Amino acid sequence: GGEFVREGSRKPYTVRQTLYANSITRAEVARLRAVGSVTADPYPLRNADRYPHDQLRLGARVYRFQCSVCHTVSGANGLTHLTGSWALDQKRMNIAKLQFTKPFMPPFAGTAEELEALVQYLTWESAHRPAEWEVSDDQTAIANIEKWLIEAGPERVGEGEVHSGRESARAVFDPEVQTRREARGSGRSANAARVGSIARAGSIAQAEACGSLGLSEVAFSSIVVDE
């Protein structure tokens, strides 16, 4: 109930502005992109011999480290379903720019090679785990992934704001979008302050006040918790 709503409102964070839902901190993303997210992972894969080669094993470890907290492979909230309509290069670019593709998602926190391994792993899983699978050694693909990771950067655009993916991408280049976003933020801050005052005063007219501000009870309770 309420906790599910609060969890959704915090995405992609568990601790706002600090800890992403996959237990990677904002400060760690740039470092993991340089050294690799699973380079120091000491835990072996279960049934590792079922993977045709090391690249798929690497992809499975990246999935486990960065994705498995919130996603299954093919079950509820499964990645094979969420990425199933994307072509191979779309998977590479969309995951490299994940915070733009899905603004409620954290940035990818690994190397280009790890991202390619994850793409291959998800594609292999979508193909129902065939016994043979060709190793991807496409250096052009790796170069493109590196370029897309650099373009996306290790941070989300407009940290702490809720916005559409299209607007997120445009905001980098379009000052008008940024101006509109700042105006909305000011309006929300003013409303939050007014509602916070009502809550602290214990006003009996709480519900009516929220209605006059155009806020739902869920929005009201979220603001009160944050106070």
Side-chain angles (χ1 to χ4, degrees), residues 74-144:
S74 300
N77 207 24
L79 291 182
T80 57
H81 304 303
L82 294 172
T83 64
S85 64
W86 297 346
L88 201 57
D89 266 343
Q90 282 182 298
K91 289 178 185 176
R92 292 164 174 149
M93 182 177 70
N94 288 350
I95 296 173
K97 298 187 175 187
L98 192 57
Q99 68 268 44
F100 293 93
T101 308
K102 304 283 186 181
F104 48 82
M105 293 291 292
F108 181 80
T111 65
E113 289 77 12
E114 287 183 336
L115 196 153
E116 177 64 15
L118 176 63
V119 166
Q120 293 297 321
Y121 168 67
L122 294 177
T123 306
W124 176 74
E125 287 279 1
S126 295
H128 308 293
R129 303 175 181 175
E132 296 184 1
W133 192 262
E134 186 177 353
V135 175
S136 171
D137 190 25
D138 186 342
Q139 294 307 304
T140 300
I142 295 295
N144 283 335

Side-chain angles (χ1 to χ4, degrees), residues 29 32-34 36-38 62 66 107-115 149:
V29 174
L32 293 176
R33 285 191 177 184
S37 63
V38 297
V62 173
Q66 296 202 42
F108 181 80
T111 65
E113 289 77 12
E114 287 183 336
L115 196 153
L149 286 169

Side-chain angles (χ1 to χ4, degrees), residues 15-216:
V15 179
R16 287 178 178 168
Q17 307 300 317
T18 303
L19 183 69
Y20 289 121
N22 57 9
S23 297
I24 296 172
T25 67
R26 284 176 64 186
E28 288 179 309
V29 174
R31 181 182 66 83
L32 293 176
R33 285 191 177 184
V35 303
S37 63
V38 297
T39 303
D41 180 1
Y43 302 106
L45 287 174
R46 182 179 298 175
N47 302 320
D49 56 352
R50 74 186 177 92
Y51 302 96
H53 50 67
D54 285 342
Q55 186 178 49
L56 293 183
R57 282 185 276 272
L58 174 60
R61 291 169 63 218
V62 173
Y63 157 77
R64 183 178 65 185
F65 183 74
Q66 296 202 42
C67 315
S68 64
V69 171
C70 301
H71 296 276
T72 66
V73 176
S74 300
N77 207 24
L79 291 182
T80 57
H81 304 303
L82 294 172
T83 64
S85 64
W86 297 346
L88 201 57
D89 266 343
Q90 282 182 298
K91 289 178 185 176
R92 292 164 174 149
M93 182 177 70
N94 288 350
I95 296 173
K97 298 187 175 187
L98 192 57
Q99 68 268 44
F100 293 93
T101 308
K102 304 283 186 181
F104 48 82
M105 293 291 292
F108 181 80
T111 65
E113 289 77 12
E114 287 183 336
L115 196 153
E116 177 64 15
L118 176 63
V119 166
Q120 293 297 321
Y121 168 67
L122 294 177
T123 306
W124 176 74
E125 287 279 1
S126 295
H128 308 293
R129 303 175 181 175
E132 296 184 1
W133 192 262
E134 186 177 353
V135 175
S136 171
D137 190 25
D138 186 342
Q139 294 307 304
T140 300
I142 295 295
N144 283 335
I145 291 170
E146 289 177 342
K147 179 188 71 172
W148 292 325
L149 286 169
I150 291 169
E151 287 175 354
E155 292 274 5
R156 298 171 66 243
V157 171
E159 282 291 345
E161 298 182 17
V162 179
H163 44 267
S164 71
R166 178 180 298 177
E167 184 170 287
S168 296
R170 287 182 55 209
V172 178
F173 308 103
D174 189 345
E176 292 184 5
V177 171
Q178 187 64 30
T179 300
R180 289 198 301 272
R181 180 179 295 168
E182 290 171 355
R184 287 201 307 271
S186 298
R188 284 197 297 267
S189 296
N191 279 350
R194 292 171 62 193
V195 174
S197 297
I198 293 168
R200 285 189 292 272
S203 172
I204 298 174
Q206 180 184 95
E208 290 82 358
C210 288
S212 71
L213 295 173
L215 295 172
S216 68

